Amino acid sequence: MKILVTGGAGYIGSHTIVELIKAGHSVIITDNLCNSHKNAVARVEQITGTSVPLYAADIRDSAALSRVLDEHPADACIHFAGLKSVGESNSHPCEYYDNNISGTLNLISVLRAHNVKNIIFSSSATVYGIPEKSPVTEDCPKGICTNPYGWTKWMAEQILTDLHNADPSWNIVLLRYFNPIGAHPSGLIGENPNGIPNNLMPYITQVAVGKRECLHIFGNDYDTPDGTGVRDYIHVVDLARGHVKALEAIKRNCGVALYNLGTGKGCSVLELVKTFEAVNHVHIPYVIEPRRAGDVAVCYSDPGKAERELGWKAEYGIEEMCRDSWNWQKNNPQGY
Ligand code: NAD
Ligand code: UDP
């Protein structure tokens, strides 16, 4: 299939494009590069030996998007483009609603005008709010989000579902990611956050490479085996392959389909730190800080539905995630 990938120069998008090309699909990217670098696309081309057209188009720019689709008629869209920092969404909510919601609405209208009615959307476990229990299954109700970023995912899911209800010829796959970490094993592409990382793994790798002095662990008094927060970390290459499988669902006219993409295994902050140290033979100094506002103690997925319906299952474990995150960071200490 020919796939329009919005946000394809970003962390998950770039890894997904590698897997799409490996699976025989062709790809066009639109990305305004607000949180990424065009070198990521050059690296994808290096890994795959395939040229990938990149248009520096904003998803809120109808004319620019239309030109891209006029030139490259697509069969489906994988929609990664969006702002994703929880903290920034608290301080700049309108920018988040504009980018993630107005952007998605605009994208939908341009896709419809080009008769592209297949879309895979990057959602997040954050839509569950504070989950009542883990493992979280897809039939757990969507919850009360704790920040505007989460609400944009919640609302975009609703908009896409309503779109299908009004016009069943749309196929929509909502993928709720748990905690993507890791990098392509080549070490050529990986996560490249701007400024101080909000997420745990990029913070750890920046401590390891000497960019930050020590890790701050947010709370060691949770009701978990070692007191630190438990999450479902998933290798970004596994996550990327989930999108390739989701395209198969679209080919089968899936209507609206919703899947958790996680490993189903919980891992604590301290376990991740210890594994990173053991696998990579580096020391990660840390200090314990108070809990971070809005954090839950435990959140991990039940990924069984994706396995049953898509034939997708995460293959990599925490060791490989730690190895590949470090391989990327140490080979690219300044990012792209
Ligand atoms: P990323 O920031 O690396 O990638 C997003 C890309 O979208 C960037 O390249 C950015 O430049 C681009 N972009 C942003 N706004 C745009 C706009 N208006 N027009 C065109 N391009 C625009 O983030 P990522 O980690 O690769 O995340 C991809 C998607 O997955 C996002 O929607 C994110 O919310 C979602 N997600 C990420 C995580 C995670 O932990 N990384 C977890 C759950 C969901
Ligand atoms: N965390 C931490 N220090 C950091 C960043 C995160 O201790 O610098 C913890 C956080 O409290 C949570 C886990 O690591 O328990 C994962 O946090 P992250 O921000 O990566 O993902 P999310 O909160 O979205 O699950």
Side-chain angles (χ1 to χ4, degrees):
M1 291 168 94
K2 189 152 190 159
I3 320 292
L4 175 70
V5 180
T6 74
Y11 172 46
I12 304 171
S14 56
H15 287 82
T16 301
I17 291 169
V18 170
E19 300 306 314
L20 288 169
I21 292 171
K22 266 172 62 182
H25 299 288
S26 64
V27 170
I28 322 117
I29 301 176
T30 57
D31 194 309
N32 68 1
L33 301 174
C34 69
N35 195 39
S36 53
H37 201 284
K38 62 179 175 15
N39 286 353
V41 179
R43 300 277 184 90
V44 167
E45 291 179 325
Q46 190 182 337
I47 293 168
T48 59
T50 303
S51 102
V52 181
L54 164 65
Y55 292 86
D58 193 296
I59 53 168
R60 291 163 296 182
D61 181 344
S62 305
L65 280 185
S66 284
R67 280 195 297 275
V68 174
L69 282 171
D70 286 342
E71 204 173 319
H72 302 275
D75 302 302
C77 172
I78 306 186
H79 177 29
F80 294 104
L83 301 177
K84 64 163 184 177
S85 160
V86 168
E88 193 183 53
S89 80
N90 283 319
S91 53
H92 295 83
C94 296
E95 283 78 355
Y96 270 66
Y97 287 113
D98 179 44
N99 201 81
N100 295 4
I101 298 297
S102 307
T104 298
L105 287 169
N106 192 55
L107 173 68
I108 290 169
S109 106
V110 176
L111 290 174
R112 185 168 42 198
H114 287 79
N115 205 31
V116 182
K117 292 188 171 182
N118 297 312
I119 186 163
I120 297 175
F121 176 64
S122 295
S123 189
S124 165
T126 193
V127 300
Y128 292 113
I130 297 177
E132 275 170 20
K133 59 164 180 61
S134 281
V136 186
T137 51
E138 290 83 351
D139 50 22
C140 289
K142 283 164 79 179
I144 305 289
C145 295
T146 50
N147 55 76
Y149 165 73
W151 284 118
T152 68
K153 294 294 171 192
W154 199 106
M155 290 175 194
E157 282 197 357
Q158 189 63 46
I159 290 167
L160 288 163
T161 305
D162 290 340
L163 178 66
H164 167 83
N165 292 339
D167 175 359
S169 64
W170 278 86
N171 288 303
I172 306 221
V173 183
L174 308 174
L175 298 178
R176 291 180 178 163
Y177 310 157
F178 279 68
N179 291 59
I181 60 171
H184 191 265
S186 63
L188 287 169
I189 53 174
E191 189 168 10
N192 186 31
N194 282 331
I196 302 170
N198 297 300
N199 297 112
L200 180 59
M201 181 54 93
Y203 209 107
I204 292 175
T205 60
Q206 291 199 5
V207 171
V209 87
K211 263 178 130 172
R212 319 246 160 235
E213 214 170 294
C214 76
L215 174 68
H216 302 266
I217 295 185
F218 301 137
N220 67 349
D221 57 354
Y222 285 107
D223 184 15
T224 61
D226 63 24
T228 64
V230 168
R231 296 290 183 276
D232 185 344
Y233 298 97
I234 172 164
H235 198 295
V236 66
V237 171
D238 276 328
L239 189 74
R241 291 176 182 158
H243 296 74
V244 178
K245 293 290 189 180
L247 281 176
E248 299 296 319
I250 279 189
K251 277 196 209 155
R252 296 192 295 268
N253 288 324
C254 59
V256 180
L258 166 62
Y259 299 102
N260 286 337
L261 294 184
T263 63
K265 296 186 187 82
C267 171
S268 75
V269 176
L270 276 174
E271 266 177 87
L272 192 70
V273 171
K274 297 292 167 211
T275 308
F276 189 94
E277 290 184 320
V279 170
N280 298 318
H281 312 289
V282 291
H283 176 54
I284 306 295
Y286 63 81
V287 288
I288 304 292
E289 304 280 359
R291 295 179 180 191
R292 185 172 65 177
D295 273 358
V296 296
V298 177
C299 181
Y300 60 93
S301 68
D302 178 338
K305 186 174 181 228
E307 185 174 2
R308 287 190 302 277
E309 295 186 11
L310 300 179
W312 172 89
K313 192 173 186 289
E315 285 166 17
Y316 292 107
I318 289 290
E319 283 83 4
E320 287 104 340
M321 299 181 213
C322 288
R323 179 198 64 199
D324 292 336
S325 288
W326 178 228
N327 185 40
W328 151 254
Q329 181 75 81
K330 76 169 187 279
N331 289 322
N332 304 272
Q334 304 307 328
Y336 288 108

